[in-house]
Amino acid sequence: ANNQTGYSSFIITNPIPEACGVTFEHPVMLNRSYESNGTCFTINTSGMLLDCNGYNITGNSSGTGIDILSSDSTIVKCVVGNFSVGIDMNGNDNYAENISVSGSGTAVKIEATGNRFVNLIASGSMNGIELTGAANSSFVHIFIIDSMEYDIRHTAGSNSTIIFDSLLGKIFLSEDSGSLDMVNTSYASVNITGGFIRTNNAVDIYLKDVGTSIAVQGASVKGNMVWLTDSNGYAKIIATNNTINSTQE
C-alpha cells in the first residue's frame, strides 16, 4: 500500500487549467475554484500530484470530480461537491490527504488496491465510501456525516482497514466482500444492514471501541469469528432478523 505521508518533494511549475475537462500529466497546484458539467479532472499519469490548494470543484450531479486512473499519485486539499462520484480511485497505491466531499451520489469510490486516505470528510452524499475491488486500502481520520443510504458500501475486494473519527449510519457488505477492520474510539453506533458478511477463515468484521451499540439487521453472518466489542472487550450487539453461524459471537 502507499505509505506516503507528505508531498514536499514535488516541484510545481506547470500551467493552471482554465476549465474542467482536463487530464493532468504533470503536477498542478490550483489557484481558483471550478464548476463542471460532468467529470472535472482526470489523472492518468503515474506519480502525479494535484494540490487543490483548498479551492472548490463543483459539479452538476453528473460525472466525477476527480477521476484517478493512474497509480502512485497524490491529491491534497480538495473540496469536491455535487458529482455522481466525488473522487474515484481506479488506480493502485494512490494517496489522498485533507479531502472534503459533499452532496454526491458516492463521495469516495475505491476500485483498486492499496489506496490510502488521510483526513477525509464525506457529508450529505448518498453513499460515503464505496469499496469495489478495494483490496488493502486504508482510511485514517474519517468523518462520514449525513449519508442518505450507506456510510460504507463494501461490495467487492478484501482486507480494507478504516479508522474512524465519526460514523453514525449504515454499513453494507455483500457476499463478495472481503474482511473489513474498523477501529474507532468516538462514534456513536454502527448499523450493519442487509447482504452477507463473509469470512476467509479469519475475521469477517472487527469492530473495536464502538461507543454505544452495534446493530445487525437482516444480515446473514457466515464464518469462523465475528468480533463486535467495546474498548473493554464486551459485546454490544442488537441483532434482529439474522442468521448467524459462527464458532464465536
Side-chain angles (χ1 to χ4, degrees):
N2 196 316
N3 294 315
Q4 286 180 262
T5 57
Y7 46 94
S8 59
S9 61
F10 287 95
I11 299 174
I12 302 173
T13 60
N14 295 290
I16 307 301
E18 295 183 1
C20 287
V22 173
T23 298
F24 292 125
E25 297 180 354
H26 304 284
V28 173
M29 178 184 288
L30 303 183
N31 64 359
R32 47 160 291 197
S33 293
Y34 293 83
E35 295 184 358
S36 180
N37 296 318
T39 296
C40 187
F41 297 136
T42 300
I43 297 174
N44 199 20
T45 300
S46 295
M48 252 285 301
L49 167 70
L50 171 60
D51 184 345
C52 297
N53 204 22
Y55 287 101
N56 296 316
I57 301 171
T58 305
N60 66 343
S61 300
S62 67
T64 301
I66 303 173
D67 193 4
I68 304 174
L69 305 176
S70 61
S71 299
D72 297 307
S73 291
T74 298
I75 62 171
V76 296
K77 294 183 289 185
C78 299
V79 181
V80 179
N82 201 30
F83 287 90
S84 177
V85 178
I87 296 174
D88 194 346
M89 286 191 172
N90 284 282
N92 299 327
D93 299 321
N94 295 295
Y95 178 80
E97 182 177 329
N98 296 333
I99 304 295
S100 175
V101 183
S102 63
S104 296
T106 296
V108 171
K109 188 173 185 179
I110 307 295
E111 303 186 68
T113 64
N115 290 290
R116 177 174 171 82
F117 272 80
V118 177
N119 297 331
L120 167 69
I121 299 175
S123 62
S125 294
M126 186 64 68
N127 296 295
I129 297 172
E130 184 171 359
L131 306 172
T132 62
N136 302 315
S137 291
S138 64
F139 301 80
V140 181
H141 302 315
I142 307 303
F143 293 82
I144 304 179
I145 307 165
D146 296 331
S147 298
M148 288 173 273
E149 188 172 21
Y150 296 106
D151 282 347
I152 303 171
R153 185 175 176 86
H154 190 197
T155 56
S158 62
N159 304 330
S160 290
T161 299
I162 301 180
I163 302 176
F164 287 104
D165 288 302
S166 177
L167 173 65
L168 179 58
K170 295 180 179 179
I171 298 171
F172 175 88
L173 298 101
S174 76
E175 192 167 15
D176 294 325
S177 298
S179 63
L180 184 63
D181 291 352
M182 294 184 289
V183 181
N184 176 261
T185 56
S186 64
Y187 61 80
S189 65
V190 173
N191 299 308
I192 300 170
T193 305
F196 291 85
I197 303 166
R198 192 186 67 156
T199 191
N200 294 315
N201 298 317
V203 179
D204 290 312
I205 304 175
Y206 176 50
L207 292 150
K208 183 180 179 182
D209 301 335
V210 301
T212 303
S213 67
I214 295 174
V216 183
Q217 301 179 353
S220 177
V221 181
K222 301 177 180 180
N224 292 330
M225 290 182 286
V226 178
W227 295 353
L228 305 172
T229 67
D230 63 11
S231 57
N232 296 313
Y234 296 109
K236 296 183 178 181
I237 304 173
I238 301 172
T240 60
N241 246 350
N242 300 285
T243 302
I244 300 177
N245 299 304
S246 301
T247 58
Q248 178 178 340
E249 299 178 14

